[in-house]
Amino acid sequence: MTGASRWRRIAARFRPHRRAVLLAVTLMAVSVGLSAGSQLLLRRLIDEALPRHDVTAVGWLCGGMLAAGVIGTLASVGQTALTHRTGLRVVRDLRADLYDRVQRRPLGFFTENSTAEVQARLVSDMGGISEILTSTGQSVVFAALGLIAGFAVMLALNWPLALISIGLALLLNLANNVLARRGRVLARQRQDGVGEMMRVVGEDLSLSGIVLGRTLGRQEWQRDRFGTVSERIGDLSYRQRMVGTNAWALSAVTFACLPPAVYWLSGTVFPGLTLGTVVVIATLQLRLSGPIQQLLQLSTTVQSAGAMVDRVFDYLDAPATVEPAGPVTPGPVPALRVRGVGYTYRNRRALHDVDLEIPAGSFVLIAGATGSGKSTLALALAGLLPPGEGVIEVAGSGPADERRLRELVTLVPQESVLFNASLRENLMLARPGATAAELAAATSAAALDELVARLPDGLDTTVGERGYQLSGGERQRLAVARGLLAPRGVIVLDEATSALDPATADRVVRGVVDHAGGRTVVMIAHRIPALHAGDRVVLLDGGRVRESGTHEELMALGGAYAAMGVRRDSVAPATAAGR
């Protein structure tokens, strides 16, 4: 992205706030104009009022300078408030758009990019952009207006000296651009390093990272890894700051020579200048050196911030293929049909031409060895992974896209995702308006009621970071209870009882089916739970459906399912619910 297009896109974000921007710029112009006007009053004070000892003129001129200073300060305060409020609103909207775009990226994006990298763009990069759009942006406009006003006054007083000053500013700008380009490259490298550091910290200083490092005796390696990344960021930061310092030093040395040059020119080349004119020109030269040096430094800052803007727009420009699911309204439980579904990851084929019937209100067990494609099929059924081949149909409605499937299916994954909040808050994420009776029914179905009764604060007990104040089995049961509360007609349990002992797992499965109340339950498991007559079993092998039928049919077949060592007496009597 070129510099012009980058800042054009940022400028477009200010269009809804153009009135506030116009008012802020007007207040800046008033402040700068009054400051420049006070210099003309100073010239008259030195050349006319003071030599004549005109007390009245001195009073009026000093009063005018005082009024200009007070009014200019008030205008500056007003524009600062407008600038910061408007800039922060633009940043808020930009950050929200970035969050929304990342949230709608396909699952592959999250497997290829670390969470820390996403956080770096949402927090660190957006923080840098916020600084540019508020304080830095205000300083740039102020300095530019100050230069324009100062040069205008100098042109009015002595145009040759004004042209010399303008030429000097242009030469300094050319020299600074060379340094600014280098600073931008270093800034992008530094921001990439910050993302890497956040990834390392997220991995090594999380609870799981601490446990891993201590149990494997790799704490020193973790510390060295962090130190390497930190040292790289420090080196890039030093080089980036030195680029800015060199630009400042170049302008500082140049402007140190200006006052003597003005006095020499006034005494030799332009001997007709009045004392007031000489003093005002020398004062303006010194006062202009500040905005020029500020613009040179800010130019480096803005160029460096361009790297952050590019990183943010890299995400904003990426396609967002996942549409939010619509509101779920009660309706008949759907029957699903999987037709020729296949899926290939970057380095392997996961599913091959899968055909599958999932009748409404049924219980379907999907079994198979590790790597057989069970979890991939679960993601496809839940509308989280679009099939590379084939379709998933809803009986009576035809092929369903991912959004439609997410409105019909809820997935309870093997790795429970819990927030650092209470059990109640984690449960009500699935149904914000859940009643106490509904929460109690869900926790009972997931065999979690005894735990809740033992906790001092019951459902209001905090589960800790990622739920680590609970055991693995308790986290899984909490996730199952949450899935039962979700208003979906199909529940997919992907190894959701893998951390439970067989007796508790069977109790949870029975509770899920009983609580489902006619909803479809699809269970993915290595360990075969207690089945009932009529329950369907699908055996995946190498991403293909190898066998499909009821438990009795597959045992009678004597094939791969029977060879898994499943007991014939694992079939329980049918329940009143129809299983």
Side-chain angles (χ1 to χ4, degrees), residues 116 150 178 225 286 296 304 332 334 373 410 473 475 478 495 524 534:
V178 175
R225 181 168 72 145
L286 290 175
L296 293 176
S304 300
T410 187
R475 292 197 296 271
L478 181 58
E495 298 287 358
I524 295 172

Side-chain angles (χ1 to χ4, degrees), residues 26-42 64-76 142 145 149 153 287:
T26 301
L27 290 174
M28 287 184 191
V30 169
S31 179
V32 170
L34 289 172
S35 177
S38 68
Q39 297 301 308
L40 295 177
L41 296 179
L42 175 62
M65 294 170 65
L66 177 62
V70 172
I71 296 173
T73 299
L74 294 176
S76 178
F142 239 135
L145 290 175
V153 173
R287 293 185 64 173

Side-chain angles (χ1 to χ4, degrees), residues 187-203:
R188 175 121 196 179
Q189 294 174 349
R190 181 183 178 279
Q191 285 304 113
D192 290 341
V194 169
E196 175 69 9
M197 175 181 282
M198 292 181 70
R199 181 188 66 81
V200 169
V201 170
E203 291 176 352

Side-chain angles (χ1 to χ4, degrees), residues 161 252-268 278 281-283 285-286:
L161 286 178
V253 169
T254 302
F255 283 111
C257 302
L258 283 178
V262 169
Y263 299 142
W264 181 81
L265 290 171
S266 299
T268 56
V278 173
I281 289 177
T283 302
Q285 286 281 12
L286 290 175

Side-chain angles (χ1 to χ4, degrees), residues 102-323:
V102 172
Q103 191 180 49
R104 293 168 56 195
R105 296 300 306 277
L107 285 186
F109 169 84
F110 299 96
T111 61
E112 297 171 4
N113 295 271
S114 69
T115 303
E117 176 63 21
V118 175
Q119 291 173 339
R121 303 202 188 204
L122 273 167
V123 179
S124 179
D125 290 348
M126 285 304 306
I129 293 174
S130 176
E131 184 68 20
I132 287 293
L133 299 187
T134 52
S135 299
T136 304
Q138 169 188 305
S139 299
V140 168
V141 177
F142 239 135
L145 290 175
L147 281 178
I148 294 172
F151 284 140
V153 173
M154 291 178 65
L155 282 171
L157 295 176
N158 187 276
W159 65 266
L161 286 178
L163 292 180
I164 291 173
S165 297
I166 293 173
L168 177 63
L170 292 176
L171 289 175
L172 284 174
N173 184 60
L174 291 175
N176 183 70
N177 282 338
V178 175
L179 297 172
R181 283 193 294 269
R182 177 58 180 162
R184 181 184 168 194
V185 172
L186 292 171
R188 175 121 196 179
Q189 294 174 349
R190 181 183 178 279
Q191 285 304 113
D192 290 341
V194 169
E196 175 69 9
M197 175 181 282
M198 292 181 70
R199 181 188 66 81
V200 169
V201 170
E203 291 176 352
D204 292 352
L205 294 186
S206 64
L207 177 60
S208 56
I210 291 293
V211 171
L212 182 67
R214 291 178 181 178
T215 55
L216 297 181
R218 298 290 284 169
Q219 292 161 285
E220 185 175 348
W221 174 82
Q222 290 175 322
R223 186 170 55 251
D224 290 343
R225 181 168 72 145
F226 175 80
T228 299
V229 177
S230 180
E231 183 177 358
R232 177 170 175 264
I233 293 176
D235 177 64
L236 290 169
S237 298
Y238 170 78
R239 292 160 60 189
Q240 180 185 352
R241 291 176 185 178
M242 288 307 300
V243 167
T245 301
N246 291 337
W248 171 84
L250 175 64
S251 60
V253 169
T254 302
F255 283 111
C257 302
L258 283 178
V262 169
Y263 299 142
W264 181 81
L265 290 171
S266 299
T268 56
V269 182
F270 308 106
L273 294 177
T274 66
L275 178 61
T277 300
V278 173
V279 170
V280 169
I281 289 177
T283 302
L284 284 174
Q285 286 281 12
L286 290 175
R287 293 185 64 173
L288 290 178
S289 68
I292 290 177
Q293 292 183 60
Q294 189 176 27
L295 283 175
L296 293 176
Q297 289 178 314
L298 292 175
S299 175
T300 303
T301 302
V302 171
Q303 290 283 348
S304 300
M308 302 180 190
V309 175
D310 289 345
R311 283 165 51 88
V312 167
F313 278 110
D314 283 346
Y315 275 17
L316 285 174
D317 293 338
T321 60
V322 180
E323 293 296 327

Side-chain angles (χ1 to χ4, degrees), residues 26 81 127 172 235 255 302 365 432 440 444-445 471 477 498 526-527:
T26 301
L172 284 174
D235 177 64
F255 283 111
V302 171
L365 172 68
S444 176
S471 69
R477 283 180 282 163
S498 59
H526 287 93
R527 186 174 59 227

